[in-house]
Amino acid sequence: LAKKRTDIRDGLRQHGTNVDRNDVELSGDGDQAPIHLNYAGKQFYRDLFGNGGDLQEYAAFGRLSQFGVACIRGDVEFVETSLKQASRRRGNSISISISDSNSNSDINSDPSKPSKDLIRLLETRETSMRVSPLLMIVSLGKSVPVADPAADPALLAQRQVAIATMLLKYGARPDAKDVCGKTVCHYGAGQMATDMTMKVVDMCIPAAQSSHLFGKQVQLYGLSTESMNGKIGTAKGYIAGTGRRAVYLLDENKEMAIKPCNICLIGQTPQNQAEPRPNLCDIQDRLGSVSLLEVFMTSRADVAEFLLDKHNARIDVADWDGFSPKSMAVQPGVGMHASVGPKIMKRAMKQGRAEKKADKGQCSKCGAVESSTSTLVLSVCARCKVVQYCSRDCQVSDWKAGHKQACKQLEEERGASLQLETPPVTDNPVMMSFASRQTSTAEGSYRKPDNAAVGERFYIKVQKSVANGPLLIYDKSRQCHFFYPSNLKGYREMYSAAIEEKATNGTKAYLKASFDANGNCTVYPGTTTIKTW
């Protein structure tokens, strides 16, 4: 253990961590400076987290605190007794100032304030990984042999969740970070997630939205009971079962459970409060990575669904190397092979459709803008289906002013077609992978799919690889699938359609195509849309 601690400490110092600061800051996150290093430096932190540092050794050699051991072993009674005793102590309470949440110099005896002993119990970091009790539960706690070999796993998990609930109630920080910048989401909603850890994360994500209020003076507002509005109190812990935060009302000497949306810091009003806090699952570690990015190349589709569907995790948060869940999912040969990739692509397409729907445009004549907050509804020109008007008067006026001459041209441009040249046969390995998913030939198939009649339009996906590289084109059935080189007619228009599609990071586009009786393909660049295949 001693040698491993020394090796980790030396590695941290060598790769940019201020270990001296961490030695002093025993109950906080310590040095969280972003890590911008070469590959070897970044890999040190990846390996440190992936191997768990010296967590297992601390547990095996009995070097964890008694409170930490009780948390991972599900000793509800001991944890509850310890928290009650620490919170009841008088004469050592701390007042956390609004300007500096880490300050503990303002000593007073206000029982509404968290005591030093309580903060030490909730936030002291242990092991070289510098994990808090809450982080211990989602790291060491998911290893049953370490937690309690004799315990029933289901019962142990239930007790661990109960303890996590208790820690939050007493004010534990749900956004605490370890030495690598990892949060409860990285530990509990990553590739090694369990049902227990995801339940803990499920509580911590909403708790983190108001954790900055803990220990600070706050004011109530927006309550249906008018007499309660304006009352001053001290924000306390998060009550997971109700989604409320406890507030100790100073003038009434009592504690109440209040929705976070009805609490604001003293000196702020509902109108001038700070911007919404970031979603806990979108908080980056010191390498810039979020938990969804780490889940991407795994088979943990269940964790991806948990983060995307339940907690609306962002897909566009990039690490310091520029990789985000979205950018990985749209990469040819990468996203399609990862089980999580299609789920991220589905989210990207959904967002793309929403953005296009929100882009309402404006009246071509007077400039009136349609928005979600107004009653104005624009009507599109029935012929060209491009320009929009807010009223019949504007449409008639614009027609006389020049749209009469422009309308036909706009219509032709929107419905413009390009007849493609017959592409050469390819044995590209990516195409071979596509071919393995269906019954058509591995060499590629430049033909009409069976479910489309001659001349009937159907959607194709146009997917680019590198700049000026061949386009990969295929329909949903993949009976029609081929590469289209840059030297052939129509390449530039299809390439432009792909790079202009924001929903796919400019990597692919969906547009209509058709085949005539002679097997010639025609594409319609003006028909781009968003699909999920």
Side-chain angles (χ1 to χ4, degrees), residues 79 121 208 210 227 248 267 277 286 291 336 346 373 378 412 432 435:
V79 171
L121 205 59
S210 59
S227 60
Y248 188 92
R277 291 169 64 80
R286 295 179 67 193
S291 57
M336 60 187 172
K346 184 177 180 180
T373 58
L378 298 175
E412 291 175 349
M432 299 288 287

Side-chain angles (χ1 to χ4, degrees), residues 80-93 109-119 121 170 236:
E80 185 171 23
T81 299
S82 300
L83 290 170
K84 284 181 177 179
Q85 290 176 349
S87 63
R88 286 172 180 169
R89 294 193 180 102
R90 297 289 186 263
N92 67 344
S93 58
S109 57
D110 187 344
S112 69
K113 304 293 184 182
S115 70
K116 286 183 177 179
D117 286 340
L118 179 61
I119 295 300
L121 205 59
Y170 277 85
K236 304 193 76 175

Side-chain angles (χ1 to χ4, degrees), residues 107-224:
I107 308 298
N108 63 60
S109 57
D110 187 344
S112 69
K113 304 293 184 182
S115 70
K116 286 183 177 179
D117 286 340
L118 179 61
I119 295 300
R120 278 194 290 265
L121 205 59
L122 292 172
E123 301 301 338
T124 293
R125 307 308 164 91
E126 301 189 47
T127 79
S128 298
M129 296 301 292
R130 306 193 80 251
V131 290
S132 66
L134 194 58
L135 288 174
M136 283 189 198
I137 293 176
V138 292
S139 55
L140 284 169
K142 59 191 173 189
S143 175
V144 175
V146 173
D148 188 351
D152 173 70
L155 182 59
L156 173 62
Q158 184 178 349
R159 296 202 305 258
Q160 289 168 329
V161 171
I163 289 175
T165 305
M166 198 181 304
L167 294 175
L168 292 173
K169 179 181 177 182
Y170 277 85
R173 281 184 52 205
D175 56 354
K177 296 181 177 182
D178 76 355
V179 73
C180 298
K182 304 290 186 180
T183 67
V184 66
C185 286
H186 293 91
Y187 278 100
Q191 60 178 324
M192 300 301 291
T194 67
D195 288 343
M196 180 274 290
T197 63
M198 286 198 287
K199 287 179 180 177
V200 174
V201 171
D202 200 31
M203 297 186 294
C204 288
I205 288 177
Q209 288 297 305
S210 59
S211 63
H212 63 293
L213 300 174
F214 177 68
K216 297 179 182 178
Q217 280 203 324
V218 296
Q219 187 172 4
L220 307 186
Y221 74 93
L223 295 167
S224 57

Side-chain angles (χ1 to χ4, degrees), residues 340-380:
V340 176
K343 297 184 182 300
I344 295 175
M345 273 306 305
K346 184 177 180 180
R347 170 59 59 89
M349 298 304 185
K350 182 178 180 181
Q351 290 178 350
R353 285 193 294 269
E355 289 171 2
K356 286 192 174 184
K357 187 176 181 180
D359 186 15
K360 299 294 186 179
Q362 62 184 39
C363 176
S364 182
K365 181 61 180 177
C366 71
V369 178
E370 179 180 344
S371 70
S372 58
T373 58
S374 72
T375 58
L376 176 65
V377 178
L378 298 175
S379 298
V380 68

Side-chain angles (χ1 to χ4, degrees), residues 462-482:
V462 177
Q463 187 166 307
K464 76 179 188 69
S465 51
V466 297
N468 299 318
L471 297 172
L472 176 61
I473 300 175
Y474 56 98
D475 78 315
K476 188 174 183 179
S477 71
R478 290 180 173 76
Q479 292 176 332
C480 169
H481 66 278
F482 55 92

Side-chain angles (χ1 to χ4, degrees), residues 220-230 244 256 258-259 261-262:
L220 307 186
Y221 74 93
L223 295 167
S224 57
T225 304
E226 190 61 38
S227 60
M228 294 297 295
N229 293 320
R244 298 173 181 244
M256 296 187 66
I258 306 292
K259 291 180 180 179
C261 62
N262 297 120

